[in-house]
Structure formats: structure tokens, C-alpha cells
């Protein structure tokens, strides 16, 4: 997470080492005492930012928190289920998000099903959810093309949370690690940027 003061920030996404073309330009209104993830979604010709508010409250001992984000532009609405078992997130469509769900820490074999059916579109084996850790699972890629549909877990926070010190760094320097090469930008969700706004002291 890049630590920022509350306010409105103009964010641009450009090819690595260049200033143009600008493939995304957006004004982000960041409220105080919140954590955000900003995800690039869609194909290059209509790519856009999806702004998510993260809940990094520490899970109880023995638990993990997990949510699901549908970032595959040509995939239909889906359910996320334990393999051969219950549905965890139901009827999530493109740009939709399933709320954080507390689950027992452990390793799970998951599957992405067409919403409301038993038809499996993607197997996601061996998803490890560690104790007192918060995760987001992103579905990305294409259901009918390349890159292929995939699901990628991302760690949002580990309890206890450690807040980063920025030392007053500029926004541009904070975003430097997130520069994106357009050649790799076939489908969004290749770029995820996270911000944390200042807490009251």
C-alpha cells in the first residue's frame, strides 16, 4: 500500500518509461482512514479503473478473510465454490465483487462455475489461505481467447498490520513500481495499485 493523505488524485497509466499514450486517466477521490485497491479492467480499447474499498480488519485466530473480484471481460456471471462442495460467492458478473467471507485457514480446491449451474469453467486447486490473513481472488484473462482465464489470489493484509512509512514521497515516486508495459496489457487486472489514506492520530 502507498500511504497518501485524504484527497483527490489524478492517476494516469502509460507504457513503462513513457509519458504517452495514456491508456487510463482518472480522478480518484480517496476518503480518510480507508484502504483501496485500484484494478485495471477491460480490453485495451476500453480499459478502465475499478476502485475497490478494502476491509483489512484482522481475522479471528484460525480464520482467513477472502473476497472475489470478477475481472474477466468476456466471462459470464459465475459462482465460486469449493470443489464438489458449497458455493462461496454466487452470481458475480464482470466488475462485480463478492464481500469478504471468513473461512477456516487451510488449503482449498476451488472451482469457478457458470452462475446457477454445476458447469465448471475453471478449476482453482490448492488455494492456501493462511491464518489471520486477508485475501482477494481475482478472476482475469479471457474465457474465449488469450490470455486464458485464470484465478489469482492476492494477499491484502496480514495481522498484525504494519503501516508503511512514506517519508513524504511524491505520488509519482510511490507509483513508480506499478509502471505497466502496454505489450503485456491484453486484458486488465495485470495492474493492481493499492492506497492507504491517513488515519486519525
Amino acid at each position: 500500500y502507498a500511504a497518501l493523505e485524504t484527497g483527490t488524485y489524478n492517476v494516469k497509466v502509460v507504457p513503462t518509461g513513457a509519458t504517452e499514450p495514456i491508456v487510463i486517466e482518472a480522478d480518484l477521490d480517496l476518503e480518510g482512514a480507508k484502504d483501496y485497491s485500484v484494478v485495471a479492467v477491460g480490453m485495451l480499447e476500453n480499459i478502465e479503473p475499478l476502485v475497490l474499498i478494502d476491509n483489512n480488519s484482522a481475522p479471528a485466530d484460525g480464520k482467513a478473510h477472502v473476497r472475489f473480484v470478477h475481472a474477466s471481460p468476456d466471462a459470464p456471471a459465475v459462482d465460486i465454490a469449493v470443489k464438489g462442495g458449497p458455493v462461496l460467492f454466487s452470481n458475480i458478473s464482470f466488475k462485480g465483487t463478492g464481500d469478504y467471507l471468513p473461512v477456516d485457514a487451510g488449503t482449498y480446491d476451488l472451482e469457478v462455475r457458470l452462475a446457477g449451474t454445476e458447469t465448471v469453467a475453471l478449476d482453482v486447486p490448492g488455494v492456501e489461505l493462511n491464518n489471520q490473513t486477508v485475501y482477494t481472488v481475482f478472476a482475469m484473462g479471457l474465457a474465449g481467447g488469450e490470455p486464458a482465464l485464470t484465478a489469482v489470489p492476492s494477499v491484502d493484509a496480514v495481522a498484525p498490520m504494519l503501516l508503511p512509512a512514506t517519508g513524504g514521497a511524491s505520488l509519482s515516486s510511490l507509483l513508480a513500481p506499478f509502471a505497466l508495459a502496454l505489450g503485456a496489457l491484453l486484458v486488465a487486472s495485470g495492474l493492481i495499485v493499492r492506497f492507504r489514506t491517513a488515519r486519525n492520530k
Side-chain angles (χ1 to χ4, degrees), residues 113-137:
R113 304 173 184 168
L114 299 182
T117 77
E118 297 295 321
T119 303
V120 177
L122 179 68
D123 284 309
V124 190
V127 177
E128 187 175 354
L129 303 178
N130 292 322
N131 184 40
Q132 292 191 294
T133 305
V134 182
Y135 297 87
T136 298
V137 178

Side-chain angles (χ1 to χ4, degrees), residues 71-119:
S72 172
D74 72 335
V78 297
D79 298 337
I80 309 300
V82 176
K83 187 175 181 64
V87 171
L88 303 176
F89 304 99
S90 62
N91 197 29
I92 307 295
S93 56
F94 177 52
K95 296 190 287 187
T97 304
D99 290 337
Y100 287 96
L101 182 69
V103 298
D104 291 337
T107 300
Y108 294 84
D109 292 331
L110 303 179
E111 53 191 22
V112 180
R113 304 173 184 168
L114 299 182
T117 77
E118 297 295 321
T119 303

Side-chain angles (χ1 to χ4, degrees), residues 4 19 38 40 57 75 82 84 97 130 135 167 176 183 191:
L4 302 175
T19 58
V38 183
S57 300
V82 176
T97 304
N130 292 322
Y135 297 87
L191 178 67

